[in-house]
Amino acid sequence: MPLLITNGRIVTATDDYEADIYCADETITRIERSIDPATVPPEAEWIDAAGRYVFPGFIDPHVHVHLPFRGTHARDTWVSISRAALVGGTTTLIEMICPTRDDDLMEAFHLWTGKAAGVAACDYSFHMGVPRFDHGAAAQLREIADSGISSFKVFLAYKGALGVDDEELYRTLKLATEVGAIVTAHCENETLVAERQRELVSAGRTGPQWHEPSRPVQVEAEGVHHLMTFARLAGAAVYVVHTSCEPAVLVAQRARERGARVWIESVIPHLVLDRTCAERENFDGAKYIMSPPLREARHPAFLWDALRSRVISTVATDHAPFDFAGQKEMGRPPRGDFTDIPNGIPSVEHRVDLLYTHGVVAGRIDLNTFVDCASTQAARLFGLEGKGSIAVGYDADLVVYDGDHRWTVSGEDHHMATDHSVFEGWRLRGRASVVTVRGKVMVRDGRFVGELGGGRLLRRAAVH
Ligand code: URP
Ligand code: ZN
Ligand code: ZN
């Protein structure tokens, strides 16, 4: 059905103006100061956006849906994550495909993509995980890249399971350069993590509060430095995921100044939470375990500054949805320790509103930066053509946003499949009033009103 949105304040990464938008055949076909309703078909759906912003659909370029961990699995499906993402204003997701060393890459690719096909309500794509690099893997990666998956994912951490060794890293980067793909990377020095975990656990330091000391900022900065060396020599474009601290950002920034093609991602938990959360009583700290860990409060402050100056390009979530009961609890002493806690903080539903509240309302970033880091940069870096902005010819992925709406996060009515949200009870400002995906209304006032299964696997251009 055609769609007319009138009287909105359109905000993109570069512009801010009032106009009406008309959409037909899934795309934006007219943007004019005032569109005469007599000039659009009578069946067009009409949304009055007076007093509201109109943003491009937000993009989360780093989520996990299907994520095995020691015999258990992350809780979301593409049904629950689609609803959660859309209610939160996110219209496109990119999931990490995370095979282990023993998995066949093509089988993993079909396993992960198959879980979204015919089910997802938002548009989606994948970063192809590379846990091993040999002749067979190289051929499969070429084929996967040719099918429109123009980014790979490597773990410098988790060696022997998800992580690659140095020879494999170099060869993956070379292949990516050849096919125009960008390599996303989790940067932590695995040897240091393993040694420090062993020392801490054998000293009886087993609670969640010891997770951060097991992988301090130097461990992450060393990982980024390692990636920078390899990326420069291979000539590869790289994207450092979930950068949590000043030293890691500075290493990437300096490498960029010396010619490295590197972009930096931060994730919402690292911006709005700090390491004291992992000290909470009754094992509640386990909810805050992710890697790299939440840091001392001066690091979030640094990240906000780096976002404002656009040293950091994107704000994603690294949504990794494990329950507290039965999953995070796997690491409860004395039966377990912090190394047994599945890593991840579910946040896909609240990223945009947290960024608006703690970024825009708090005066840390302006509206254009908000749109740029939560939508436009992801579209640009990952070849999502027609996404990430509002212009004629672009997909009609739009968020009519009420910046004055005040509300409190409640686990009772969230759409994520997890049994908790770490943002439970948080007071937020701003919420999507209407969310559309290619012209179809999917959300109204916090309620999912769309249909499942219409989400599209996006064929992404190899822009690097
Ligand atoms: O703690 C995290 N980040 N969990 C998800 C897996 C990953 O490393 O991205
Ligand atoms: Zn990671
Ligand atoms: Zn991740």
Side-chain angles (χ1 to χ4, degrees):
M1 195 198 292
L3 178 71
L4 177 64
I5 301 177
T6 53
N7 302 313
R9 178 174 163 192
I10 298 172
V11 182
T12 67
T14 48
D15 295 315
D16 187 340
Y17 59 102
E18 283 175 18
D20 297 347
I21 301 175
Y22 178 71
C23 313
D25 299 327
E26 303 193 341
T27 57
I28 298 167
T29 55
R30 293 169 66 185
I31 302 176
E32 293 160 28
R33 182 64 194 88
S34 177
I35 295 179
D36 180 354
T39 65
V40 308
E43 72 273 18
E45 186 157 7
W46 181 17
I47 294 164
D48 181 10
R52 309 269 151 102
Y53 298 112
V54 184
F55 297 130
F58 292 99
I59 300 170
D60 189 340
H62 182 171
V63 298
H64 300 269
V65 188
H66 177 60
L67 182 61
F69 177 85
R70 299 197 196 157
T72 190
H73 287 88
R75 296 279 291 121
D76 270 315
T77 62
W78 273 93
V79 172
S80 55
I81 198 170
S82 293
R83 289 193 183 124
L86 286 165
V87 166
T90 296
T91 53
T92 301
L93 296 173
I94 310 185
E95 185 187 2
M96 299 285 177
I97 295 178
C98 292
T100 60
R101 275 193 92 75
D102 302 330
D103 293 331
D104 178 79
L105 295 192
M106 198 52 86
E107 275 175 26
F109 178 68
H110 290 304
L111 174 67
W112 259 262
T113 54
K115 289 187 183 286
V119 178
C122 56
D123 285 349
Y124 59 96
S125 182
F126 299 88
H127 303 294
M128 183 62 212
V130 185
R132 183 186 75 246
F133 193 95
D134 53 26
H135 189 66
Q140 291 179 327
L141 290 170
R142 275 180 211 283
E143 198 179 326
I144 290 165
D146 275 354
S147 75
I149 302 294
S150 56
S151 51
F152 301 145
K153 164 73 183 284
V154 292
F155 285 94
L156 274 57
Y158 315 126
K159 267 195 192 103
L162 303 171
V164 284
D165 66 26
D166 281 352
E167 181 185 305
E168 292 169 325
L169 173 62
Y170 186 69
R171 292 185 181 185
T172 303
L173 292 166
K174 290 292 271 191
L175 175 73
T177 311
E178 200 188 302
V179 302
I182 185 167
V183 177
T184 71
H186 174 134
C187 297
E188 287 180 300
N189 181 295
E190 172 59 13
T191 308
L192 288 171
V193 174
E195 284 302 304
R196 294 179 66 83
Q197 284 181 334
R198 200 181 44 72
E199 285 165 10
L200 287 162
V201 171
S202 60
R205 295 174 164 174
T206 53
Q209 70 273 32
W210 297 106
H211 176 69
E212 200 279 340
S214 76
R215 39 215 318 152
V217 294
Q218 299 91 326
V219 166
E220 186 181 343
E222 201 288 323
V224 177
H225 176 75
H226 199 79
L227 179 74
M228 292 305 102
T229 307
F230 279 63
R232 285 193 67 191
L233 289 172
V238 291
Y239 175 90
V240 183
V241 297
H242 49 41
T243 315
S244 74
C245 59
E246 178 174 356
V249 172
L250 292 181
V251 170
Q253 193 184 353
R254 288 198 188 115
R256 182 191 288 156
E257 283 159 12
R258 293 187 192 122
R261 292 194 293 149
V262 55
W263 289 270
I264 305 170
E265 171 192 274
S266 241
V267 295
I268 200 73
H270 287 140
L271 285 162
V272 299
L273 300 168
D274 66 56
R275 66 175 270 181
T276 58
C277 297
E279 294 164 9
R280 297 199 179 174
E281 288 181 348
N282 298 324
F283 198 59
D284 211 49
K287 293 178 184 165
Y288 301 86
I289 295 305
M290 64 176 296
S291 297
L294 300 178
R295 302 297 191 190
E296 269 173 38
R298 68 187 175 86
H299 293 288
F302 173 87
L303 297 179
W304 282 112
D305 285 345
L307 197 57
R308 184 170 47 247
S309 61
R310 307 212 188 174
V311 165
I312 292 174
S313 297
T314 54
V315 175
T317 54
D318 192 15
H319 177 81
F322 291 98
D323 274 346
F324 179 72
Q327 295 195 309
K328 293 281 186 182
E329 281 183 330
M330 288 158 67
R332 193 194 277 272
R335 269 188 46 218
D337 61 60
F338 67 86
T339 66
D340 301 314
I341 301 171
N343 281 207
I345 298 181
S347 49
V348 75
E349 189 161 345
H350 304 121
R351 174 186 65 133
V352 169
D353 301 332
L354 285 162
L355 191 60
Y356 182 79
T357 305
H358 292 273
V360 177
V361 177
R364 293 180 171 119
I365 55 172
D366 63 20
L367 280 166
N368 299 118
T369 305
F370 167 67
V371 172
D372 196 36
C373 66
S375 179
T376 313
Q377 286 297 323
R380 192 176 72 80
L381 288 170
F382 296 117
L384 291 163
E385 282 169 5
K387 305 284 192 196
S389 195
I390 296 178
V392 169
Y394 271 61
D395 287 358
D397 297 351
L398 297 165
V399 178
V400 178
Y401 197 80
D402 179 356
D404 290 323
H405 186 86
R406 288 161 202 265
W407 63 289
T408 303
V409 178
S410 160
E412 300 275 292
D413 51 20
H414 75 214
H415 298 76
M416 305 180 294
T418 48
D419 63 359
H420 70 281
S421 162
V422 298
F423 305 110
E424 173 86 34
W426 282 42
R427 303 269 308 138
L428 297 182
R429 267 275 290 283
R431 189 179 72 173
S433 309
V434 176
V435 180
T436 69
V437 175
R438 284 177 281 103
K440 279 208 182 96
V441 174
M442 307 302 280
V443 170
R444 275 186 196 278
D445 300 322
R447 278 182 314 112
F448 178 75
V449 295
E451 279 171 22
L452 294 165
R456 195 169 284 167
L457 172 58
L458 303 168
R459 206 187 149 82
R460 293 187 286 116
V463 289
H464 296 276

